[in-house]
Amino acid sequence: MSRPDHMDVAAYALGVLDEQDTERFEEHLATCWACAAELETMVPVVGLLSDIDGETMMALEQTATDPALLDRTLVAVRRDRRRTRFRQLLATAAAVVVFGGLTAFGFVSVAGEEPPAVLAEPTLSAPGNEPPTSAPTGAPSGPGVGGNEEEGDQVDATDPTTGVQTTMFLVTKDYGTRINFSLQRLPGPRTCRLVVLRKNATTEVISTWSVPDGGYGTNTRPQGLELSASTAAPVADIKQLQVQSVDGNGVASPLVTVPM
């Protein structure tokens, strides 16, 4: 070897020996317990020493006979290592700042961006979707009496047997026909329904309701009942409109019939 065998431990650990010296040192290492023990102690720190190049290692070996020179060399190596770590820390910090700035900008751009404001506007009810009026009116009257004139064609009817009276307004709509109607002299208690009888002999129940004990438009309860219902049948296809009373067994009987 070009250097004493015992001085090649650190160089071997760092892998800076050439191939010929590496083979010769390994032959020496097989018979030298001192070098083997020293190499074992260097294994945990070999990663820390990996930053020292071969020339620096050679310089450290040559200072073995000069303690003062060894101290100066070690100080220089430590200073250079600190400067290297400091530059790495600065680079890492700069990367964190840049990445953090981009992340914050992206977060503001994506998460913080406010959606276009949506102005709330009143919702217009679809024609014919008004909820049926189930509360009794004031004095006995037909729909629209005492207020604006009711739209549609008015039809009045009184059943000679039951005495039930009704006034109906038929309004033509794109979807069919809306029927606004009022009832008077309707005794209770009972369950009622409004049935559409078409000209093709088919029928359709378009509304049901309950009548309390006092009835509607009676001596006990003078207020009349006003309701609204809709059917898909056009006015021209309707033959009759009939208010029926339905008993507990589901059997219906007419209370008042409105011919068309």
Side-chain angles (χ1 to χ4, degrees):
M1 288 187 181
S2 59
R3 295 174 299 280
D5 292 341
H6 296 293
M7 298 301 297
D8 288 337
V9 178
Y12 177 78
L14 291 174
V16 297
L17 295 178
D18 57 28
E19 183 177 355
Q20 182 179 3
D21 286 344
T22 298
E23 292 179 357
R24 295 177 62 180
F25 177 78
E26 288 177 348
E27 293 176 358
H28 167 76
L29 188 65
T31 58
C32 180
W33 63 268
C35 287
E38 183 178 358
L39 179 62
E40 183 178 0
T41 61
M42 296 186 66
V43 170
V45 296
V46 69
L48 298 177
L49 297 176
S50 60
D51 292 336
I52 303 177
D53 56 20
E55 293 181 359
T56 304
M57 196 65 235
M58 293 288 294
L60 289 175
E61 292 182 2
Q62 292 173 5
T63 59
T65 58
D66 187 348
L69 179 60
L70 176 60
D71 291 341
R72 290 195 299 271
T73 303
L74 291 176
V75 169
V77 170
R78 285 194 289 267
R79 183 185 303 114
D80 180 72
R81 182 175 298 171
R82 283 196 298 269
R83 283 198 299 266
T84 301
R85 284 199 297 266
F86 182 69
R87 287 193 297 268
Q88 291 174 345
L89 288 175
L90 287 179
T92 302
V96 170
V97 170
V98 171
F99 179 75
L102 292 176
T103 303
F105 176 77
F107 179 79
V108 171
S109 299
V110 176
E113 185 180 69
E114 296 183 0
V118 178
L119 298 179
E121 296 182 355
T123 302
L124 300 180
S125 301
N129 288 342
E130 297 85 351
T133 304
S134 58
T137 63
S141 62
V145 174
N148 295 330
E149 184 178 354
E150 184 75 13
E151 63 175 327
D153 299 327
Q154 179 177 344
V155 182
D156 299 309
T158 301
D159 190 277
T161 302
T162 63
V164 177
Q165 297 177 348
T166 184
T167 298
M168 296 189 177
F169 290 87
L170 282 70
V171 185
T172 299
K173 296 292 183 180
D174 292 338
Y175 56 80
T177 305
R178 188 180 72 206
I179 303 169
N180 301 323
F181 61 103
S182 66
L183 292 165
Q184 299 287 337
R185 300 182 183 178
L186 180 61
R190 68 181 64 240
T191 299
C192 297
R193 66 187 186 184
L194 178 62
V195 180
V196 175
L197 290 83
R198 295 187 178 91
K199 292 180 180 179
N200 61 5
T202 60
T203 61
E204 176 188 7
V205 178
I206 62 173
S207 181
T208 62
W209 64 93
S210 296
V211 180
D213 293 342
Y216 291 105
T218 63
N219 294 333
T220 304
R221 188 189 185 103
Q223 297 91 342
L225 176 66
E226 293 188 5
L227 296 171
S228 180
S230 295
T231 176
V235 175
D237 292 346
I238 299 176
K239 180 180 180 181
Q240 291 181 344
L241 295 169
Q242 189 173 82
V243 177
Q244 299 176 348
S245 177
V246 183
D247 63 19
N249 296 322
V251 178
S253 57
L255 291 175
V256 60
T257 302
V258 179
M260 303 296 293

